[in-house]
Amino acid sequence: MAEVKDPSEGVQIDLISGERMDGLTSMEKIRLILDGVREGNIVILEEGLSPDEESRLIEVTMTEISPDEFNGIEIETHPRSDTSDSSFLDRLMGKESTKKLTVIGPANQIETLHKDETLIQTLVSRK
Amino acid sequence: MGLLTNLKSSIARAASTLFAEEESKRIGIYGPPNAGKTTLANRIVRDWTEHGDAVGPESHIPHETRRARRKEDIEIERNGSTVNIDVVDTPGVTTKVDYTEFLEHDMEKDDAVRRSREATEGVAEAMHWLREDVDGVIYVLDSTTDPFTQVNTMLIGIIESQDLPVLILANKIDKEESSVQRIRNAFPQHETIPLSALEGDNMDEVYDKIAEYFG
Ligand SMILES: Nc1nc2c(ncn2[C@@H]2O[C@H](COP(=O)(O)OP(=O)(O)OP(=O)(O)O)[C@@H](O)[C@H]2O)c(=O)[nH]1
Ligand SMILES: [Mg+2]
């Protein structure tokens, strides 16, 4: 991956496609997310995580929190409508729940200003 | 892959109910910090066991519970039949813990750091339990606060994805700012039961529903 820039210059955003995530195991996905977030980046997942992966993400985040260094994560998901892009079979297989745009960032740098079904406003501050 | 895992886990679950017919169902009490989970667990234990020792301490400071605590073989009687459950009180789930917030509650830095370390271990443990060791969930929310948070949405999603029966409780209805409807709107796919775990309001309906969902 590209070298990490000086965080004082700005905030890096990693936009990760669903295709890229598809090839990874759950733990690899969680590592990719947390490595990015711990460097101070905002990670945006095109297709989000499965509920099981979300549960593991919380668990691994907890084990990595350490005082004055890492306070954990802020996570926001933006569900897509069930009916428009997933078939009945998809829903039966539990696929629909993973297709949600997900924004993850360091807890001390990201703050949700407003959230409704159509808009999420987030304030991202530098370290 | 999803189908296979689902199939495997439903077979495992079916097998475990087959062979463990007499055993108590293990019910996890989940929810955000400070919702009143321990207050509820203590009330259940006080109402249905002889000794009624408290499950754990209650406190207005978040992350009071930092270890999942189990109380076994609670027999709840409803309409002439009994329901056996083990109650597991869990630490409030969150995605972040900042020890400096505990300093505002007049805590020394050492204590605040220790509390935060224990809290993170406890939440990790609670997430693990949720994936492996519970048969049903009581999800407790403080009805005076906004239920539409990311943690609540994620947790309910995780619980649903495992096909666990879940009862949503809107706690602290004794407070003036309480809004049960706000919780119903946030989770319309589930039944929401109002209560005050502190005052004991509406506990009859809570026990009826526990028997109905987990019996
Ligand atoms: N007014 C009112 N206060 C309540 C009620 N239930 C709990 N509380 C208070 O809310 C605070 C938190 O209660 P706990 O039972 O410790 O909450 P918890 O969910 O176990 O919190 P953690 O263990 O920190 O996650 C305490 O001060 C309780 O007295 C209720 O029904 N009404
Ligand atoms: Mg507690």
Side-chain angles (χ1 to χ4, degrees), chain B residues 32-39 57-65 89-92 171-175 195-199:
Chain B
N34 224 34
K37 299 177 293 298
T38 304
T39 307
E58 308 161 10
S59 160
H60 67 284
I61 309 175
H63 298 295
E64 182 62 26
T65 307
D89 180 30
T90 70
N171 192 30
K172 309 198 186 183
I173 55 165
D174 56 291
K175 285 187 153 183
L195 80 154
S196 166
L198 190 67
E199 306 287 340

Side-chain angles (χ1 to χ4, degrees), chain A residues 15-47:
Chain A
L15 179 53
I16 306 175
S17 71
E19 204 176 9
R20 168 91 187 246
M21 291 293 266
D22 273 348
L24 303 179
T25 65
S26 295
M27 275 325 279
E28 285 169 335
K29 291 179 193 176
I30 288 164
R31 223 32 291 154
L32 182 67
I33 295 164
L34 284 179
D35 287 348
V37 170
R38 296 199 58 175
E39 276 165 13
N41 305 342
I42 305 299
V43 178
I44 302 179
L45 309 176
E46 186 192 20
E47 289 193 353

Side-chain angles (χ1 to χ4, degrees), chain A residues 45-127:
Chain A
L45 309 176
E46 186 192 20
E47 289 193 353
L49 298 171
S50 70
D52 186 69
E53 288 163 349
E54 286 178 343
S55 146
R56 287 167 203 271
L57 176 65
I58 297 174
E59 188 176 338
V60 178
T61 300
M62 286 300 127
T63 63
E64 297 197 1
I65 289 177
S66 88
D68 296 320
E69 202 208 325
F70 179 57
N71 287 343
I73 61 173
E74 201 68 70
I75 175 166
E76 285 164 350
T77 58
H78 202 320
R80 314 229 171 117
S81 95
D82 277 9
T83 42
S84 64
D85 63 1
S86 73
S87 67
F88 172 69
L89 194 67
D90 278 350
R91 265 173 281 147
L92 200 68
M93 306 274 288
K95 270 187 189 159
E96 114 281 355
S97 56
T98 68
K99 283 200 173 173
K100 47 192 194 243
L101 189 71
T102 300
V103 181
I104 304 154
N108 54 354
Q109 265 172 273
I110 175 167
E111 188 191 338
T112 308
L113 298 177
H114 171 88
K115 182 174 178 174
D116 65 34
E117 286 80 51
T118 55
L119 174 72
I120 295 176
Q121 279 180 330
T122 303
L123 180 69
V124 179
S125 52
R126 291 180 189 169
K127 266 197 188 150

Side-chain angles (χ1 to χ4, degrees), chain B residues 97-111:
Chain B
V97 178
D98 182 354
Y99 80 89
T100 60
E101 277 167 27
F102 301 136
L103 299 177
E104 288 159 25
H105 294 277
D106 264 349
M107 217 176 273
E108 296 295 322
K109 183 176 172 180
D110 283 359
D111 292 332

